[in-house]
Amino acid sequence: MKLSELNSTPRYPVVIPSTNKKTTYRPFLVREEKALLTAQESEDIQTMIATMDNVVRNCLANPPDRLTTFDLEYLMTLIRAKSVGEHSDLIFSCDKCNDPNAKAQVSIDLTKVKVSKSDHSNKIKLHDTLTAQLKYPTIDDILKINESADKELALLKVCLDKLYTQDETYSLSEETDDEIEEFISTLTPSQKKQIQHFIDNIPHTYIDIEYTCPVCNTKHERQLKGINNFF
């Protein structure tokens, strides 16, 4: 047996948020931690997202074909917690007083990360005979959006999944970019607003925290959103 095969890593159960499918994950390895640090030092968002996606997929027992943005944030937080520590110490200021000492250190339990629930349907009735089915953007989608000159249009394009008429179903993955853009240009402002509501309510990761100002004793309840605010 090779030396590299002697060390077995523990596995932990997890549910993929976007699919509710069960699988397991392991902590990231030293070489994967180095890749994450190198990506962070690059300060290039494309490199950081791609590296996190690669590490998460390596750590999952059965990675899905599609990882949404909130899948990646949720899974990366749990993997990080089991790899280098379940708590992260952050400093928060008081919202009520301006005293320079009005700062509280809070130990964030990363294992308490949650994903917000969506109460909206992914099907939108554009008019009596046309319905649009939407989807959450994947990591690959986000990488494409970040490279686009018109990010708003790019986000609309990746979130449109299917169109249903009374007689036909159109899968937009089979249509050209030009055809999709032409369809978007025919939307009325109210129709676009319906799609934008879906986009604005894409699930996100969050951790609930509580702390008390050491100066005025005001109690605070906050919700940290997004992986960048957890560490």
Side-chain angles (χ1 to χ4, degrees):
M1 180 181 291
K2 296 181 180 178
L3 291 179
S4 59
E5 297 174 350
L6 295 176
N7 189 28
S8 60
T9 54
R11 302 206 71 89
Y12 305 93
V14 70
V15 176
I16 307 296
S18 65
T19 63
N20 287 321
K21 291 185 177 180
K22 296 179 180 179
T23 185
T24 62
Y25 69 96
R26 61 162 173 80
F28 54 63
L29 307 179
V30 170
R31 61 174 175 266
E32 292 162 341
E33 180 183 31
K34 183 177 180 180
L36 288 169
L37 291 173
T38 301
Q40 186 177 21
E41 291 171 356
S42 74
E43 298 184 350
D44 179 76
I45 187 64
Q46 298 288 85
T47 300
M48 288 188 279
I49 293 174
T51 303
M52 281 197 295
D53 182 51
N54 186 55
V55 170
V56 167
R57 289 184 176 281
N58 287 344
C59 293
L60 289 177
N62 299 292
D65 293 334
R66 290 166 45 91
L67 277 178
T68 66
T69 53
F70 54 92
D71 286 333
L72 180 67
E73 290 190 340
Y74 178 75
L75 294 168
M76 188 70 244
T77 302
L78 291 180
I79 291 169
R80 189 269 188 194
K82 294 300 184 184
S83 303
V84 297
E86 296 184 352
H87 289 81
S88 180
D89 293 333
L90 300 178
I91 303 294
F92 295 94
S93 299
C94 179
D95 298 331
K96 301 297 182 182
C97 63
N98 297 319
D99 192 300
N101 295 316
K103 297 179 180 180
Q105 180 172 300
V106 183
S107 181
I108 310 298
D109 186 348
L110 300 178
T111 66
K112 301 297 184 182
V113 64
K114 301 176 184 177
V115 175
S116 63
K117 301 294 183 181
S118 298
D119 57 1
H120 56 270
S121 172
N122 70 329
K123 290 186 178 180
I124 296 173
K125 192 171 185 179
L126 298 176
H127 58 68
D128 290 343
T129 60
L130 180 63
T131 298
Q133 178 174 302
L134 308 177
K135 62 181 177 67
Y136 297 128
T138 65
I139 299 306
D140 288 340
D141 291 333
I142 293 300
L143 292 174
K144 292 177 183 177
I145 290 170
N146 286 336
E147 293 178 343
S148 174
D150 189 338
K151 292 180 172 52
E152 180 184 19
L153 175 61
L155 184 55
L156 286 170
K157 286 167 59 178
V158 300
C159 287
L160 282 167
D161 187 22
K162 291 182 173 63
L163 295 173
Y164 300 96
T165 67
Q166 291 179 322
D167 304 314
E168 293 186 73
T169 298
Y170 298 85
S171 178
L172 298 190
S173 63
E174 299 174 358
E175 306 292 338
T176 66
D177 283 350
D178 288 343
E179 289 171 327
I180 298 172
E181 289 181 17
E182 182 64 26
F183 169 77
I184 291 174
S185 72
T186 69
L187 294 172
T188 66
S190 61
Q191 289 171 332
K192 182 182 176 182
K193 186 176 180 179
Q194 287 180 280
I195 298 174
Q196 190 62 48
H197 176 74
F198 174 89
I199 293 173
D200 291 342
N201 288 278
I202 291 174
H204 60 269
T205 54
Y206 70 95
I207 297 177
D208 291 321
I209 64 168
E210 297 179 357
Y211 64 94
T212 301
C213 174
V215 176
C216 67
N217 292 320
T218 299
K219 293 184 178 180
H220 296 72
E221 293 182 357
R222 293 184 58 179
Q223 192 177 86
L224 295 185
K225 297 180 181 181
I227 193 171
N228 291 335
N229 291 312
F230 300 160
F231 312 129

